[in-house]
Amino acid sequence: MKLTRRHLLSTAALGLASCDRVVTQINREFLCEGVPGKMPPPPAGVDIDPDFHLLSRAAFGPWPGDVWRLKKMGNEAWLEQQLHPERIDDTACDLRAERFESIYFSAGDAYEFRKPVLRDEITRHTLLRAIYSKRQLFEVMVEFWTDHLNIDLEKGDCIYLKPSDDRDVIRKHALGNFHDLIRASATSPAMLVYLDGKSNKVRRKTDDKPNENYARELMELHTMGVHGGYTQQDVYEAARCLSGWTFDRNRFFALNAGESFFKPDWHDDGEKRVLGQVIQARGKQKDLDRLVEIVCSHPSTAKFIATKLCKRFVSMEPPASVVEKVAAEFTRTRGDIKCVLRVLFGSPEFAKSHGQLLKRPLKFMVTALRALMADTQADKPLLEPLQRMGHGLFQYPTPDGYPDEELPWMGTLMWRWNFGMALASGKQNGVRVNLYELRKQMHFVPEAWFAHLIGRKPTPEELATLKTEDEAQFVGLILASPAFQRC
């Protein structure tokens, strides 16, 4: 009998509550999750292999066999496939990651869960997707936009509202259109609570003034950038446009309970002028759409988003040439994220940038787990070292999100080294790896581990530093090496 995706999911669900190994068994026996693909010959030089480089940036690092598949497909074909994640079968990942109830609930219904459950499920879901999804570029962009539109779980009711924001804002629009992404975020209950938009009201015949918090971050962090050319008056006018949008967790009897909604009597319905453009009076909730169009179409937004993407995927000081190309494509396509990424990853500046970026802790951990075909359910023992490295998911306290800059992460390198050594030696709780089986299937000699993990031949100095008869220690030292910290 041919097993369908629905059959696999329902069969696995029967055993998930009592035995996580059911998932691993089904994935490996029916979906070939644990079978490494063919491995290409180790690189002959000390420069990182171009295909390995692409997988290190546009994915969370290669799963064994991914480099060979990419070489067979070609960069353009692989990128095009990744830009259409809906065409990629991700059943094996779904078996691991779709087990969490709370990620499907609306913003209002999520109040039925306890906070520890919500925190556990959204973080585990995110980590499992990063490790096991075949839709790797999609997951990388989910991480990028999660930082760009940062929401801290620990503020107010955000812990109840972020699961639906992750699903309906970030994941829905991660490879879509930037205008749609910002429009969805602007009325997301989680964002309304996090940046105080839900209390933005201007009642007539009162002294109420608009709450400017979200309007300021919309311009400074989400669209135009701090030097984008807006003024304090623009922030004030934008806040007037946004007034009246709110969220009420107690709205049980409304048809759309759990969703944000517009209160006309809270809205300043007079004429506004934002960035030199007039928004006519009596626009009501349409004022928000006009505001989003104005700020998203501003030239500063194209440059700001292009710069931020190039810092994440090219280098912390990206050449002006690539920023200009990416910004021009952003403007030409009105924020089509797929088109923008084609230009970025197809640029010669990207091709020349290998080894220039420090992996943030999440990238470091997931890259290591993928390279060793780790078996994990991403529960507490695995989340704890990520927390020690300073990268607890959805926990950054300020709206700018976790930084790309290197300096904030340099103080946590020891925790990376400890994790790498523990993972390779089989002593990291919550994870199973089998170096012997992996090496046997891929016909590795010890030196080939370096090429597998770093994407290039080791230098004589690196080999001398790594010299040991213990294979687990050898692999652990590579994971802890300066070369593995970068991509």
Side-chain angles (χ1 to χ4, degrees):
M1 178 183 72
K2 183 179 180 180
L3 290 177
T4 66
R5 180 178 183 274
R6 176 177 291 182
H7 180 79
L8 287 168
L9 288 170
S10 59
T11 302
L14 296 175
L16 287 179
S18 59
C19 184
D20 288 334
R21 290 181 181 271
V22 171
V23 176
T24 301
Q25 184 176 353
I26 291 177
N27 282 357
R28 297 201 169 184
E29 289 189 12
F30 296 107
L31 301 174
C32 303
E33 180 188 80
V35 179
K38 185 174 180 179
M39 301 297 293
V46 293
D47 290 329
I48 293 176
D49 178 83
D51 298 311
F52 189 97
H53 169 56
L54 179 59
L55 289 168
S56 297
R57 299 280 181 86
F60 282 100
W63 188 272
D66 281 357
V67 175
W68 178 257
R69 282 187 286 271
L70 175 54
K71 288 184 180 299
K72 286 186 65 177
M73 291 181 68
N75 286 8
E76 289 186 11
W78 180 86
L79 183 60
E80 204 57 36
Q81 181 188 64
Q82 288 291 313
L83 287 172
H84 296 279
E86 71 282 357
R87 303 175 186 174
I88 302 173
D89 180 16
D90 218 18
T91 303
C93 179
D94 292 343
L95 285 173
R96 291 181 184 269
E98 288 191 353
R99 57 184 294 187
F100 306 114
E101 276 190 285
S102 65
I103 64 173
Y104 302 105
F105 275 57
S106 70
D109 292 338
Y111 285 92
E112 296 180 13
F113 292 87
R114 292 183 295 111
K115 287 184 177 182
V117 173
L118 289 164
R119 187 182 296 107
D120 175 75
E121 292 197 348
I122 191 172
T123 52
R124 292 177 66 192
H125 174 259
T126 298
L127 187 52
L128 286 170
R129 287 281 179 203
I131 298 168
Y132 293 107
S133 180
K134 293 181 180 179
R135 302 165 180 175
Q136 278 288 292
L137 179 56
F138 175 77
E139 293 302 326
V140 164
M141 291 308 298
V142 165
E143 185 200 18
F144 178 83
W145 295 122
T146 297
D147 278 322
H148 186 73
L149 300 170
N150 182 58
I151 293 172
D152 179 12
L153 289 180
E154 307 310 319
K155 179 175 179 180
D157 283 357
C158 287
I159 195 166
Y160 300 106
L161 308 176
K162 181 57 186 174
S164 60
D165 178 271
D166 182 66
R167 180 186 66 243
D168 300 332
V169 178
I170 304 297
R171 291 181 175 274
K172 182 176 181 179
H173 300 286
L175 289 173
N177 183 275
F178 181 76
H179 294 233
D180 296 339
L181 172 67
I182 296 301
R183 176 61 176 80
S185 177
T187 55
S188 162
M191 189 63 77
L192 285 169
V193 169
Y194 181 58
L195 291 179
D196 308 314
K198 79 182 191 75
S199 59
N200 183 7
K201 56 185 177 181
V202 184
R203 294 183 186 274
R204 298 176 182 86
K205 300 180 181 179
T206 71
D207 294 329
D208 285 344
K209 294 182 179 179
N211 186 305
E212 299 177 7
N213 197 23
Y214 174 70
R216 187 178 309 281
E217 305 303 359
L218 172 65
M219 293 183 173
E220 179 179 329
L221 296 177
H222 299 171
T223 57
M224 299 170 64
V226 67
H227 301 299
Y230 62 88
T231 66
Q232 172 55 36
Q233 185 62 29
D234 290 320
V235 173
Y236 175 77
E237 295 288 287
R240 292 177 61 211
C241 292
L242 295 161
S243 60
W245 286 96
T246 190
F247 170 79
D248 183 359
R249 61 173 289 186
N250 298 314
R251 202 165 168 249
F252 293 119
F253 300 106
L255 291 176
N256 298 313
E259 297 181 7
S260 58
F261 62 99
F262 181 75
K263 295 187 72 171
D265 61 326
W266 280 19
H267 181 62
D268 182 339
D269 214 14
E271 181 181 282
K272 295 100 176 169
R273 183 180 292 271
V274 179
L275 298 167
Q277 299 195 45
V278 174
I279 298 177
Q280 299 293 338
R282 296 182 295 280
K284 298 183 179 179
Q285 62 262 50
K286 292 182 180 179
D287 285 357
L288 168 61
D289 298 318
R290 186 74 183 104
L291 172 65
V292 169
E293 177 64 24
I294 289 171
V295 297
C296 289
S297 300
H298 196 278
S300 294
T301 298
K303 184 175 181 181
F304 179 66
I305 299 302
T307 301
K308 196 165 185 178
L309 283 167
C310 289
K311 284 186 174 181
R312 177 66 65 93
F313 295 114
V314 180
S315 71
M316 283 309 301
E317 295 183 0
S321 56
V322 69
V323 174
E324 290 169 3
K325 282 184 284 192
V326 173
E329 185 69 1
F330 184 97
T331 300
R332 186 187 74 81
T333 62
R334 295 189 72 257
D336 187 308
I337 297 168
K338 288 185 175 72
C339 293
V340 168
L341 293 176
R342 284 192 191 98
V343 170
L344 191 157
F345 290 119
S347 69
E349 293 89 348
F350 171 79
K352 297 174 183 176
S353 68
H354 49 79
Q356 294 185 22
L357 292 175
L358 180 74
K359 295 173 186 172
R360 304 194 308 172
L362 176 64
K363 183 74 168 276
F364 163 79
M365 174 181 280
V366 174
T367 301
L369 293 168
R370 285 178 58 78
L372 300 185
M373 293 197 327
D375 177 22
T376 181
Q377 299 303 322
D379 46 13
K380 187 177 179 180
L382 186 61
L383 293 172
E384 284 179 346
L386 188 60
Q387 192 84 25
R388 294 191 192 103
M389 295 178 207
H391 207 168
L393 300 178
F394 308 106
Q395 295 177 37
Y396 199 72
T398 56
D400 50 342
Y402 280 108
D404 286 322
E405 290 77 9
E406 294 185 7
L407 186 60
W409 304 112
M410 300 307 287
T412 63
L413 291 178
M414 182 172 290
W415 292 112
R416 299 187 187 212
W417 304 335
N418 291 342
F419 176 80
M421 297 300 293
L423 180 66
S425 63
K427 297 179 181 178
Q428 174 57 52
N429 293 332
V431 183
R432 290 185 293 273
V433 297
N434 189 331
L435 299 187
Y436 172 76
E437 186 64 26
L438 185 60
R439 172 170 52 80
K440 185 177 70 173
Q441 291 193 51
M442 295 190 289
H443 309 293
F444 276 163
V445 295
E447 290 80 3
W449 277 111
F450 192 93
H452 172 62
L453 294 168
I454 308 296
R456 63 173 173 82
K457 180 180 178 181
T459 65
E461 292 79 14
E462 286 170 327
L463 269 182
T465 303
L466 297 169
K467 196 168 183 62
T468 175
E469 297 298 321
D470 187 317
E471 184 175 47
Q473 187 179 47
F474 184 80
V475 173
L477 288 171
I478 298 174
L479 296 178
S481 70
F484 190 79
Q485 308 312 309
R486 296 191 172 275
C487 64

